[in-house]
Every structure is written in C-alpha cells, then in structure tokens.
Amino acid sequence: MRKILLLLLIVLFINSCKQTSSKLYFKKYDESSEIEAQQKHEKKRMQFKLLQSHFLDLNKEFKPFEKELSDFSEEEYQQLKPLILEKEIPILQKSIAEKKLTYEKLTLFYLYRIRKYESDSTKYLNAIISLNPKVLEEARAKDKEAKEVDEYSLSGIPILIKDNIDAAGMTTTAGAVALQDNSTGKDAFIVKKLKKAGALILGKVNLSEWAYFFCEDCPLGYSATGGQTLNPYGRKIFETGGSSSGSGVSVAANYAVAAVGTETAGSITSPSSQNSVVGLKPTIGVLSRSGIVPISSTLDTPGPMTKSVVDNVILFEAMLGKDNEDAASLEIEDFKPKELLNESYTIQGKRIGVLKSILTDSIYKASVEKLQEAGAEIIEITPPEISFDGFITLLNIDMKHDLPKYLTTYGNKKLTVKNIQDVVEFNKKDTTKRAPYGQQLFEGIIKDTTSLAQLEVVKDSLSYNGKKFLLALKAQNLDGILSINNYHSGIAAVAKYPTLTVPMGYKNSGEPVSLTFIGKPFTEKELLQLGYAFEQLTKARKTPVNYH
C-alpha cells in the first residue's frame, strides 16, 4: 500500500513540475497609464476605457501547441520569414511543391508569430480570440497527401475567420460574453466550403462586438471577449475600422495568409481600408450566411480579406456555392481564378465613374490619374441627394427577428440567452466588464415597435435611394464607380451592390487609405479584374513597419 501511495505522490509531483514548467507567455499588466494617455486622443471613439480583455486567456488557446512551439526556435522563424511573410498563395504553394516549405511549418510560423507579437505588451494587437486546437494535426495530414496541388489552391493554407462565424471545435462569441459558451459543434456553410477546398482554419479573430451593432459611438474593434483591437500601422493612434477589425488587423500583421470578414454596411470595407488590405463585399446571396451570427438577413454577407487581389480571388472562389439553408443563396458558375487574373486583361477603354465631390482628396485624385494614364475612360459624376431615413430601423427589426433564429437553429442549446432582451438583461448583471461602453443600440432594438409590414416599406425606400445614387452605373454604362474607404458603403449596401477595396496609399501621418470600387450586382469578376489592374499599376500596399 505504501509503495502505491509513494508512486502516486511521485506521479503527482512530476505532473506538478510539468505544469509549473509551462511558460505563461500572456500576462495581464497594469494598463492605467496607457488608458489615461488615450483620453487625450482627438477622436472620442479612440478614448478607450480598457485594452485587455477581462475574459480571454490566450495561454489556454496555445496550450495544444506547447510541444511543437517549444521545438520551433526564433532562428527557424527568422529563416522562414523570407519564404512566408507577405507572400501570395501561388508563391507559397510553389515553395511547398519545391519542398522548401511544408504546411506544418507554415502553420507553426503563424502560431509562433501570433504568440511572439500578442504576448508583447508594446506590440500586441488583440486580434485573436481563439485557435483551432487541431490545426497542426490537419496541417500534417495535408503534408502527407501525395497529390499535386494547383498553385491557385487553398489546400493547406491557414485562414483566420471572424468570431461570428461557426466552426467546429471553437466557440462562436460575436465578441459577447453572453455567447462565451456557444460551441455549436458545426461549421457554417462557408467554412464547410473552405475545408472542402483544403484550407486550414487557424482560428478566430476579434471583432467589434455584435458586429458593431451594440453600443453607440464606442471604439471600433472593441469586444468584451477579445478586448480592444489595435491597428498595426499605428497602435492606439489610428482606428482599426469595423466590424471585421480582427480580420483586417490579422491580415495586415501577417498572422495568417488571409481572413474572412462579414459586412452589413462597411464592416469589410472599413477595416480593409484602415489596415491596407484587399476586401471584397459581394452581392447579397453570392456567399452563404447560414451559421453566421446575424444583424440583418437583408444586408449581411461574408467576404474575403487578403493582402492582394490574387489571394482575394482564390479565397472568394473557395467559398462559392448554393446553400439551401439561406433563402438568398445563389449558384455562381464559371468563376476560375487563373482565368480571371489573366495577364492579357487591360484597363484600356474601361468606363470609370469618379465622384466630383471627393476629387479634392490628393491620393484619390492621383489614383484616378493613374487609371486614366493606363487608358481608362474617366467620367466625372455628381449623384443626386438621397434620403437614408429608416436605416437603423431596418437593422433593428431584422436583428430583433434574425438573432433568435440563429440562436435557435445554430446556437448551443444550453445558452441562457435566446433574444435581444435576454442579452441586455445578462449584461446588466455586470456592465463594467460585459458592456463598459453601454448597450444603447440593443436597447434601441427592444424599443423599436416597427411592424414587418412597415419594415418592407422602409426596405423599398432605402433600396430605391441607394440605386438612385448609383444610377450612373447603368445609365452611363460604367464598369465601376470609385470611392474612398467606406465613404459610400452604406449606399452600396442598401442598393445591394458589391464593393471591392484596394490599398491606394497612406496619409502623411502613415494612416492607410484605400480605393473602393462599386459595381453592379453580380459583377464581382469584373470588380476583381479592375482591382487587380489597379493594384498592379500602383503596388501601394506596405507592410506595417513594426510587424515586418
């Protein structure tokens, strides 16, 4: 008996030693001086109340990779950087084919890089909420596949997704504490498509809580679950854009090859612009929304966010497919990345609409001139004044009905919250940690008594006004209209027109600025070709200085 007890004590001692020897890379620190300094920021939304999450522990997220990362040195990381950093998917696939790289090493590189920066109190971006515990195992399986891989394939490529998109093995929180136990055990339709294409889901990224339809005038990129996302081009200086803040930030900082965001009105365009990445907001129905925490079934759509148009095309194509669970879903045929990015494509003779009202912006004007020099026909336009009345009503009533549908159909059955009222009451129990900036928009949803019949009138009015503003696209047979950042994202959203954002330069302060192409419905192919031509003309994107 004594021998058994002695053996048990030895085992317990060994296990205890193992646990204490595990290095804690992510430690909370006193941020009070940073918060105090932040109150002097000229933008009210940048006057943060907190940076670090009260709820997230990335040590737990990295625990499954402890052994592999302990064997992966800083020296190896530095050796791999020239092969991986800022490289497009075809180049990465070529390196894999030539045995210079493996999918496991590629994935380890990103895990190491995320830990390296996110554990540094002077460089963290609060971009990551969770990691896929099986991602290295899945990467090794890809390495064992003997088949030849197309350079335009997503097979073995690590992708991050916004944390309002369901993925098996990870929770879907939408950044909210109320959904911290929302393990659905299922993949959203677009995640199934990504996995079918061979992509590796590396993890989930932070976002503006509830896709930025929760608190009024609160910071972009803040969520109670993930903390305050920061812009790598200017930590605590520039806004991240929202609501797909973590998607834009993680791509800009090279935390993965690419990411998936979602948009209702500007939520892909805005963070893509602010973080100097390429973002596509497709026509509603082109990409499925099932298994995604909603705001509005009228306007919501996921979309790809990447460092280049080439990667955007590849990621977009992989997510295409008709989903019977989404009433708006459509089958899009004949979308082949290699053919779409054909080098013979020219911008010569393309009719491009330019908004007179923003030609005063020097970077915009210079971009227009470059397109004109390349042979584009520039048509200056002055759209009519329009009414945007009812936009908040549309979001209010859609979310009032759409969120309970998601929770009932896809949410974890043990969740205690079933609707907006439940979430508001849940947060009231600890507003300091759960809703430090308030929950005014959720409270507004509860108060809004607009009927479904009245909502249809609002939708028709908004759609009419959006199309009226963009009338020149059809009336003057334009191939696209050019905007800046997310200036006209709301208008494109209610008209249900696609947008593509491509980096076009930087202000004197270093803040990124992007050119946004607005196209007619279902012209994603043409928009991507225009964007690719512009990207090749300018090659404007630069890596954030402190994240090279």
Side-chain angles (χ1 to χ4, degrees):
M1 188 68 181
R2 286 181 182 177
K3 285 182 180 180
I4 294 171
L5 285 170
L6 185 62
L7 282 169
L8 282 170
L9 285 169
I10 291 169
V11 169
L12 286 168
F13 176 74
I14 291 168
N15 285 337
S16 173
C17 288
K18 281 181 181 178
Q19 287 169 11
T20 54
S21 67
S22 295
K23 186 175 178 181
L24 295 178
Y25 284 86
F26 302 92
K27 299 172 185 175
K28 301 291 182 188
Y29 71 96
D30 182 0
E31 61 183 32
S32 55
S33 60
E34 288 179 83
I35 297 302
E36 186 180 347
Q38 206 65 27
Q39 305 317 301
K40 297 173 185 175
H41 200 288
E42 59 183 15
K43 285 192 176 181
K44 189 175 183 296
R45 285 194 309 206
M46 292 290 287
Q47 294 169 8
F48 305 141
K49 290 186 178 182
L50 72 163
L51 294 167
Q52 301 167 96
S53 167
H54 290 293
F55 302 95
L56 183 63
D57 181 5
L58 285 180
N59 289 301
K60 290 180 181 177
E61 296 302 318
F62 274 90
K63 188 72 177 170
F65 318 113
E66 194 169 33
K67 182 184 182 301
E68 290 90 343
L69 285 172
S70 67
D71 295 333
F72 188 86
S73 66
E74 174 69 17
E75 184 183 5
E76 189 170 5
Y77 166 76
Q78 294 296 339
Q79 287 172 349
L80 287 173
K81 267 173 78 173
L83 283 174
I84 298 172
L85 207 70
E86 290 290 317
K87 295 295 185 284
E88 294 176 343
I89 292 168
I91 295 170
L92 291 171
Q93 294 289 22
K94 192 168 183 286
S95 292
I96 300 283
E98 293 172 354
K99 309 294 184 186
K100 294 176 184 175
L101 193 60
T102 65
Y103 295 122
E104 183 182 10
K105 291 293 183 189
L106 179 64
T107 308
L108 268 170
F109 175 89
Y110 287 121
L111 287 170
Y112 184 91
R113 183 173 171 82
I114 292 167
R115 190 181 69 179
K116 179 184 174 74
Y117 285 105
E118 292 298 298
S119 63
D120 184 336
S121 64
T122 66
K123 296 215 176 139
Y124 72 80
L125 301 168
N126 280 339
I128 306 296
I129 281 183
S130 60
L131 295 169
N132 172 10
K134 294 182 179 178
V135 71
L136 283 178
E137 181 185 321
E138 291 163 3
R140 283 191 284 268
K142 287 292 169 193
D143 283 323
K144 288 177 182 175
E145 289 180 9
K147 63 181 182 182
E148 203 171 303
V149 176
D150 177 13
E151 286 180 11
Y152 287 83
S153 167
L154 264 186
S155 186
I157 300 296
I159 304 294
L160 287 164
I161 61 174
K162 188 174 177 179
D163 195 23
N164 59 349
I165 304 171
D166 289 347
M170 288 174 279
T171 55
T172 304
T173 72
V177 183
L179 296 189
Q180 281 211 312
D181 295 324
N182 187 32
S183 300
T184 66
K186 298 175 183 176
D187 291 325
F189 182 86
I190 58 166
V191 174
K192 288 178 186 174
K193 293 293 293 183
L194 288 170
K195 288 183 177 180
K196 188 177 179 182
L200 303 174
I201 306 303
L202 181 61
K204 293 198 177 187
V205 289
N206 205 0
L207 67 158
S208 306
E209 190 166 336
W210 293 109
Y212 206 59
F213 199 64
F214 176 58
C215 46
E216 201 167 342
D217 296 324
C218 51
L220 292 162
Y222 171 79
S223 80
T225 298
Q228 180 61 55
T229 318
L230 301 170
N231 189 321
Y233 289 92
R235 283 181 84 251
K236 299 176 288 179
I237 300 169
F238 306 137
E239 290 189 295
T240 58
S243 65
S244 303
S245 318
S247 303
V249 165
S250 62
V251 172
N254 282 268
Y255 281 0
V257 178
V260 179
T262 65
E263 174 160 329
T264 306
S267 287
I268 288 172
T269 319
S270 165
S272 295
S273 302
Q274 284 296 123
N275 295 283
S276 204
V277 301
V278 178
L280 174 67
K281 193 279 292 194
T283 312
I284 307 302
V286 169
L287 295 181
S288 161
R289 292 91 52 84
S290 67
I292 300 176
V293 180
I295 291 180
S296 166
S297 55
T298 307
L299 304 180
D300 289 350
T301 179
M305 297 170 70
T306 58
K307 290 184 287 292
S308 69
V309 177
V310 169
D311 287 356
N312 207 276
V313 170
I314 295 168
L315 185 54
F316 176 59
E317 190 270 338
M319 292 188 284
L320 290 172
K322 181 170 170 53
D323 175 15
N324 293 329
E325 291 183 20
D326 181 354
S329 184
L330 300 158
E331 188 73 55
I332 304 298
E333 297 176 356
D334 195 32
F335 192 95
K336 298 181 175 66
K338 205 166 186 176
E339 292 175 16
L340 189 149
L341 299 167
N342 194 307
E343 289 180 8
S344 64
Y345 176 83
T346 177
I347 209 158
Q348 185 83 32
K350 298 297 177 186
R351 291 172 58 80
I352 309 292
V354 173
L355 296 162
K356 281 185 185 178
S357 60
I358 54 176
L359 273 170
T360 50
D361 185 288
S362 59
I363 301 175
Y364 179 75
K365 187 179 179 183
S367 296
V368 169
E369 287 170 354
K370 283 176 184 173
L371 287 166
Q372 192 166 27
E373 287 166 11
E377 186 181 347
I378 301 298
I379 295 97
E380 292 187 10
I381 59 173
T382 304
E385 292 292 321
I386 63 164
S387 167
F388 227 58
D389 291 346
F391 185 69
I392 294 297
T393 300
L394 166 57
L395 301 189
N396 280 345
I397 306 307
D398 265 1
M399 195 168 190
K400 184 181 281 189
H401 291 87
D402 293 338
L403 182 58
K405 283 179 188 173
Y406 165 84
L407 294 171
T408 301
T409 309
Y410 302 102
N412 188 297
K413 303 307 174 191
K414 294 180 181 178
L415 285 176
T416 57
V417 294
K418 303 296 180 186
N419 52 46
I420 299 290
Q421 181 75 55
D422 288 349
V423 175
V424 168
E425 293 305 319
F426 174 86
N427 288 331
K428 281 180 180 177
K429 292 173 183 175
D430 188 355
T431 54
T432 304
K433 290 183 178 180
R434 296 175 184 179
Y437 297 99
Q439 48 185 342
Q440 301 89 344
L441 293 176
F442 264 34
E443 289 164 349
I445 293 172
I446 295 167
K447 292 173 187 173
D448 197 325
T449 57
T450 305
S451 69
L452 290 175
Q454 290 169 323
L455 178 63
E456 289 307 311
V457 176
V458 169
K459 286 181 185 179
D460 289 344
S461 173
L462 286 167
S463 177
Y464 170 79
N465 278 283
K467 289 171 183 173
K468 181 181 171 184
F469 186 94
L470 300 169
L471 183 65
L473 271 167
K474 292 181 179 178
Q476 298 192 46
N477 194 30
L478 301 180
D479 292 289
I481 291 175
L482 303 183
S483 179
I484 299 172
N485 294 2
N486 61 322
Y487 286 14
H488 300 93
S489 291
I491 292 166
V494 296
K496 298 187 179 178
Y497 284 15
T499 60
L500 175 71
T501 301
V502 182
M504 70 170 170
Y506 303 83
K507 298 177 186 177
N508 291 334
S509 62
E511 186 175 11
V513 186
S514 290
L515 190 66
T516 298
F517 297 79
I518 305 170
K520 288 171 277 192
F522 308 107
T523 59
E524 283 78 12
K525 180 179 178 180
E526 290 77 10
L527 276 186
L528 287 161
Q529 286 178 321
L530 277 174
Y532 182 65
F534 173 72
E535 182 185 62
Q536 298 311 301
L537 272 178
T538 58
K539 297 192 183 295
R541 175 180 154 76
K542 297 175 185 174
T543 314
V545 173
N546 294 323
Y547 299 85
H548 201 280

